[in-house]
Amino acid sequence: MIYSTQHNKNTNEDPKTSVVFENLMLLPDIVFWDILKASAFNKGILPEDAGLMADDFAFWPKWNPNSRYDTGNSNYVEPDVFFRFANIDVIIEAKYSDNRGQYREEWEREFKAYLNEFESDKKKVVLLAVGGNPSFEREPDLKVGRHKCPIVKYSWISLLNAVLDFEKEELSDAGTDFQSSMKRLVRNVESSFQNIGIHKDNKKVKLQGLSNLYTLGKVFRYAIARETDLYTLSCYREDVNSSHYGFQFEVKPKDGRRKSIWLSIALWINEQEVICVEARNVDNWAKKLCKQIEEGKKFSSKYANKPEEECNCYYFYAKDKFYQEFNEAETFDAQVDLVSKLIDDVCLYYLK
C-alpha cells in the first residue's frame, strides 16, 4: 500500500484502492486496459484501445474546485486515482463496500474539477465507479456544457475475476521469460486482493461457519452468468454486507413471446444460514409456481420450504436437503450445477 501510506490514507477504502490499483498498473498497458474492459458491468463504453499510459498518474490528486466550473467545494476536489492514457483519461472513484457509497453528485464534482484542470487538453474522459454501486444499470453521462463523461461501474470482485480469467487464458503455460514475469505480476495482483479480503476460490464452498461471503459469491455468479437455448441470464445488481450475499439478475427469454423477469438469489447468515430465491409476481405466475412447489410437483419442491409472499414478491427458502446435497457435492462445479438447477426450475416454469 505504497500510495495510501505516502498520502496518510489509512482508513476506509483508501488502502483497498491503493493496494489493488498500484499493482494492476504494473501490468503491461494493454493488459491493464483489457482487464478494465473485461471487468466492467457496462460493456461497450470503454474504447478498444486506450494507448500507452502516461507517467503522470496520480493517487488522490487535489484539483481546483472553482476556477471555470464551480464544484461547490471550497478547498479542492479529490478523486481516488487518475490515469492518463494516450487516447483517454480515467478518473477512478472507489468505495469500500461493494454495494453502497457511490453517488452522482460526487461524480459531477470530480468531472467539473477535471475540466478545471485539463479542459484545454480536449481529451476523452471516463469515470470508473469501483465498488459502492447499488445497481449496475448504466447511468446517464455526466454533462458540463459541451463536455460529457460516461460512467462505468465495477465491483471489486469483478476486477479480481477478470485478473483470474486473464491468468487462466493467457498464462496457463509460462513458456517464455515474458510469460514467467507476467505470471509473477498477476500473482502479486491476486495477493493484493487477498490482503483486502477478496479471495479467489474455485474450491468447494463450506456453508457451515462460512466466514467470507465472497467464496459463495462465485457459485452464484457462475450460476447466473449463463445462456441456455431458451433464455439468457445476466447480473443486474450485486448486494453484499456482513450478513448477506446476493445477486439480482435478469431472465431474458429468447423467443420474444414473454417479457424479461427479475429474480434474486441470496445467502442470509443470521442464527442459521438460509439460501432464498426471490421471484417478483408478473402476471400472477409466481403465485402459481408457489402452489406447484407446495404440492410437491416441481423440482424446487425437493429443496424449498413453503414459499412466503411479501409485497408481491415470493421467497423460496432452502430446506436442509439442499444444504446436505450442496455440502456433499464433490466439486465446485457440482455446487454451481445444483444452484443452476434451482434457478432453471423457476425460469422454465415462467416460460412454459
Side-chain angles (χ1 to χ4, degrees), residues 73-219:
N73 286 17
S74 56
N75 295 322
Y76 54 82
V77 173
E78 186 181 70
D80 290 304
V81 192
F82 180 54
F83 292 121
R84 308 206 80 185
F85 292 85
N87 301 330
I88 194 168
D89 285 346
V90 177
I91 305 166
I92 296 177
E93 180 56 39
K95 299 299 177 186
Y96 184 82
S97 168
D98 241 348
N99 69 320
R100 62 184 182 277
Q102 297 282 3
Y103 58 101
R104 190 171 182 86
E105 291 80 4
E106 185 173 38
W107 301 338
E108 290 171 343
R109 286 196 297 270
E110 291 177 2
F111 182 38
K112 288 178 180 178
Y114 165 83
L115 292 173
N116 286 338
E117 300 284 341
F118 304 106
E119 182 179 23
S120 61
D121 292 351
K122 298 180 180 180
K123 287 187 68 176
K124 292 182 179 179
V125 61
V126 65
L127 189 146
L128 311 187
V130 180
N133 294 295
S135 81
F136 293 108
E137 286 186 317
R138 180 167 180 175
E139 299 284 343
D141 292 349
L142 302 171
K143 293 183 180 179
V144 177
R146 58 187 176 83
H147 303 289
K148 66 178 181 178
C149 174
I151 307 298
V152 185
K153 295 180 178 180
Y154 296 80
S155 70
W156 291 104
I157 201 167
S158 74
L159 277 169
L160 173 58
N161 285 337
V163 173
L164 296 173
D165 288 343
F166 171 75
E167 181 183 24
K168 181 180 178 180
E169 294 169 8
E170 304 295 335
L171 300 176
S172 56
D173 297 316
T176 66
D177 289 345
F178 174 76
Q179 287 177 314
S180 179
S181 62
M182 278 288 292
K183 198 155 193 172
R184 290 193 296 274
L185 277 172
V186 168
R187 294 282 171 84
N188 204 45
V189 172
E190 292 169 10
S191 294
S192 72
F193 281 96
Q194 179 88 12
N195 290 340
I196 60 174
I198 302 176
H199 305 279
K200 65 174 184 177
D201 192 351
N202 275 8
K203 298 178 182 178
K204 284 178 56 177
V205 178
K206 296 180 180 179
L207 285 176
Q208 188 172 1
L210 187 64
S211 59
N212 192 324
L213 296 179
Y214 285 100
T215 56
L216 186 69
K218 266 205 144 179
V219 173

Side-chain angles (χ1 to χ4, degrees), residues 170-348:
E170 304 295 335
L171 300 176
S172 56
D173 297 316
T176 66
D177 289 345
F178 174 76
Q179 287 177 314
S180 179
S181 62
M182 278 288 292
K183 198 155 193 172
R184 290 193 296 274
L185 277 172
V186 168
R187 294 282 171 84
N188 204 45
V189 172
E190 292 169 10
S191 294
S192 72
F193 281 96
Q194 179 88 12
N195 290 340
I196 60 174
I198 302 176
H199 305 279
K200 65 174 184 177
D201 192 351
N202 275 8
K203 298 178 182 178
K204 284 178 56 177
V205 178
K206 296 180 180 179
L207 285 176
Q208 188 172 1
L210 187 64
S211 59
N212 192 324
L213 296 179
Y214 285 100
T215 56
L216 186 69
K218 266 205 144 179
V219 173
F220 286 176
R221 185 176 290 279
Y222 276 78
I224 64 177
R226 294 184 292 117
E227 183 173 347
T228 74
D229 292 339
L230 298 176
Y231 49 84
T232 301
L233 305 176
S234 57
C235 180
Y236 163 68
R237 182 172 63 195
E238 185 177 13
D239 188 12
V240 188
N241 57 46
S242 60
S243 62
H244 168 264
Y245 199 119
F247 289 92
Q248 187 178 48
F249 56 99
E250 181 184 18
V251 182
K252 186 174 183 180
K254 288 186 173 180
D255 62 7
R257 293 187 301 108
R258 305 295 300 269
K259 56 188 175 183
S260 296
I261 58 169
W262 302 98
L263 298 177
S264 298
I265 185 165
L267 172 77
W268 294 87
I269 300 180
N270 195 352
E271 293 181 0
Q272 59 180 348
E273 290 139 344
V274 177
I275 286 181
C276 71
V277 177
E278 173 193 345
R280 296 188 178 274
N281 198 25
V282 180
D283 300 329
N284 215 31
W285 77 276
K287 186 175 182 179
K288 294 176 183 176
L289 174 59
C290 286
K291 187 174 182 181
Q292 293 281 309
I293 292 174
E294 288 181 48
E295 293 175 352
K297 297 178 180 179
K298 296 296 295 174
F299 171 81
S300 308
S301 304
K302 179 180 178 182
Y303 298 116
N305 287 307
K306 181 179 178 179
E308 297 179 9
E309 188 270 337
E310 181 180 345
C311 299
N312 209 35
C313 293
Y314 288 83
Y315 298 87
F316 309 82
Y317 292 94
K319 290 179 179 178
D320 289 343
K321 180 67 173 174
F322 178 88
Y323 295 113
Q324 178 186 343
E325 293 194 15
F326 189 90
N327 286 322
E328 290 177 353
E330 294 184 357
T331 64
F332 174 86
D333 290 341
Q335 291 180 320
V336 172
D337 186 57
L338 181 60
V339 175
S340 299
K341 286 179 179 177
L342 194 63
I343 292 171
D344 288 340
D345 193 46
V346 177
C347 296
L348 291 171

